Amino acid sequence: MKHLTKEAIAGIISLAIFSMTAQAAFIVSGQLTGDPRIDNPDNLLVDVNISVDGNLSNWTVDVNSPDHPDIRLDEFYFNLGGGISASDIDFASFSPADWTVTSPATVRGGGNFTPNFQFQALDPAGPPNAADVTNAIPLIFDAILNRDWDVDDFLLAAFSQSSDTVLGSGQMGARVLSLQTTDDVTSDSGFVLGEFISTGAEPPPDGSVPEPAALWLLGLGLLGLAGFSRRRKSGH
């Protein structure tokens, strides 16, 4: 059997590490906050978590505003980078059922945005009437891209700037309804904005994928065996 050179073994290990890291899963998250406008209710929070593996991303939009017990999500908006357009993505597995994602977004409650948000998730008007997204019920859906997702598809998404300068800008936005007001009698609406701000590696569920360090140790062992084999062949 032909013996592998050090260079060949190093190349095999490098390729293995590249293949593993290129397909590694990751997590993107962000928090939408508001409403900074003086006439709108405060303490509005919406948490977004996106779990990505290959071409599949699973989104959770979680309203987290205990100061507003009757709050409900009207629309959720977001941009993506990487030249992604609506024709590149299939949206599926909505919970609550009958929600949908459309593009381009038609923003309400936040003024005009430049650029306008690419995508909006909403409870479509008319029947079927989807269940509300509230403090207790998050919006969950899958986005399947026509290639593998990259972290820059999120982090380098455009910031949409509201025509209401007090409101500001964000890579994501949401309009929420049924908010508590100062007199606790009337209800109001508000708008929140945020960005994709954190990423991290997502560990495999069974811990079966080796760490890069383990692969390097394996490579060192193979290199040692290659040297030992050459010494035996030369008679030393």
Side-chain angles (χ1 to χ4, degrees):
M1 181 177 177
K2 185 177 179 181
H3 295 287
L4 293 175
T5 65
K6 287 184 178 181
E7 291 77 10
I9 294 174
I12 292 171
I13 299 303
S14 297
L15 180 60
I17 292 173
F18 174 80
S19 298
M20 186 193 74
T21 56
Q23 299 299 321
F26 61 90
I27 295 172
V28 176
S29 64
Q31 186 175 74
L32 286 63
T33 62
D35 190 315
R37 295 172 294 185
I38 193 169
D39 293 329
N40 291 75
D42 300 325
N43 302 321
L44 308 178
L45 297 174
V46 177
D47 295 318
V48 178
N49 289 282
I50 307 163
S51 178
V52 182
D53 191 356
N55 71 333
L56 174 66
S57 63
N58 177 257
W59 296 59
T60 300
V61 182
D62 187 11
V63 179
N64 182 22
S65 303
D67 287 348
H68 303 275
D70 298 322
I71 190 172
R72 58 186 175 88
L73 180 68
D74 187 42
E75 294 182 341
F76 168 65
Y77 313 97
F78 59 97
N79 293 327
L80 293 170
I84 295 172
S85 65
S87 61
D88 298 323
I89 309 179
D90 290 322
F91 295 96
S93 303
F94 286 91
S95 177
D98 298 320
W99 278 70
T100 187
V101 171
T102 62
S103 181
T106 304
V107 181
R108 295 184 295 167
N112 297 318
F113 282 85
T114 305
N116 197 25
F117 283 102
Q118 285 181 281
F119 301 93
Q120 65 180 1
L122 73 161
D123 175 0
N129 187 24
D132 290 336
V133 172
T134 66
N135 280 324
I137 302 174
L139 172 64
I140 300 172
F141 61 90
D142 289 341
I144 303 98
L145 190 58
N146 61 1
R147 58 166 172 79
D148 282 354
W149 289 97
D150 186 271
V151 66
D152 286 344
D153 295 332
F154 303 95
L155 300 187
L156 298 185
F159 279 76
S160 293
Q161 174 71 49
S162 173
S163 57
D164 189 330
T165 56
V166 175
L167 188 57
S169 65
Q171 295 168 313
M172 298 178 285
R175 183 174 185 246
V176 288
L177 306 177
S178 301
L179 308 179
Q180 294 293 113
T181 58
T182 53
D183 58 17
D184 290 332
V185 176
T186 60
S187 63
D188 202 347
S189 65
F191 205 93
V192 291
L193 289 164
E195 60 185 283
F196 302 112
I197 58 172
S198 64
T199 65
E202 184 174 22
D206 58 0
S208 60
V209 177
E211 295 292 331
L215 289 175
W216 278 118
L217 289 174
L218 174 62
L220 290 174
L222 290 174
L223 288 172
L225 287 174
F228 176 73
S229 176
R230 282 197 299 274
R231 285 194 300 274
R232 288 191 59 187
K233 187 175 180 181
S234 64
H236 293 100

